[in-house]
Amino acid sequence: VQLQASGGGTVQPGDSLRLSCVASSHTFRSYAVGWFRQAPGKERMFVAVVGVNDESVYNSDSVKGRFTISRDNAKRSAYLQMNSLQPEDAAVYYCAAAPRPITGPNWWQWSSEYRIWGQGTLVTVSS
C-alpha cells in the first residue's frame, strides 16, 4: 500500500480545510490510518487515528472537538476535516497506515508504529 496526502493550503484563523489520504490498494481497508503533523523545528505529533471499523481516537489536547477523522474504504481514502483552524495548527500533515487494530496500549500515537507514510501536505494558517 502507498499513500498520497492532499488538501493542504493557506487559510485564515477560523477557516476549515479537509485533508485527504488516498491509498493505492484496497488492502487499505485492513489498515488503521493515522494523521500526524510536524511544525518547523518540532517533532512529528499524533493528531488522530481511524480504525478498520471507523472507530477513532484523537489527540484531545490539541484537536478534539475541532478535527474529525473518517474513512471511506470504497474510495480507498481517509480524511481529516479541520475546523476552526488556528495558527498553532500550521504544520506539514502526514497520513500513515498500520495493519493492526487500534486496541492496546495506545500504540497509534507513536509515529514509529506506522509502516507506511504519505508524502505530507502543508497547512498554513495566517491572517
Side-chain angles (χ1 to χ4, degrees):
V1 175
Q2 294 180 321
L3 304 176
Q4 184 167 358
S6 63
T10 299
V11 297
Q12 295 186 335
D15 285 351
S16 299
L17 277 176
R18 187 193 195 206
L19 305 183
S20 298
C21 177
V22 181
S24 60
S25 168
H26 282 288
T27 57
F28 167 81
R29 65 180 65 246
S30 300
Y31 287 71
V33 180
W35 284 97
F36 287 75
R37 67 186 184 188
Q38 187 166 20
K42 296 188 176 182
E43 293 186 355
R44 193 166 296 188
M45 185 183 78
F46 168 73
V47 175
V49 64
V50 60
V52 297
N53 296 314
D54 213 21
E55 65 276 36
S56 58
V57 179
Y58 296 89
N59 182 335
S60 59
D61 290 344
S62 299
V63 306
K64 193 170 185 179
R66 298 189 298 125
F67 290 11
T68 303
I69 191 170
S70 63
R71 66 190 299 157
D72 185 337
N73 289 334
K75 295 182 178 180
R76 294 178 279 113
S77 296
Y79 308 98
L80 186 68
Q81 176 68 43
M82 306 187 295
N83 298 329
S84 301
L85 283 162
Q86 300 302 317
E88 54 266 31
D89 295 316
V92 177
Y93 283 72
Y94 298 89
C95 61
R100 54 191 296 191
I102 52 171
T103 57
N106 296 354
W107 63 265
W108 51 83
Q109 66 183 314
W110 308 112
S111 60
S112 59
E113 296 290 335
Y114 292 81
R115 295 169 49 185
I116 302 163
W117 289 84
Q119 83 284 11
T121 184
L122 178 64
V123 173
T124 303
V125 184
S126 175
S127 56

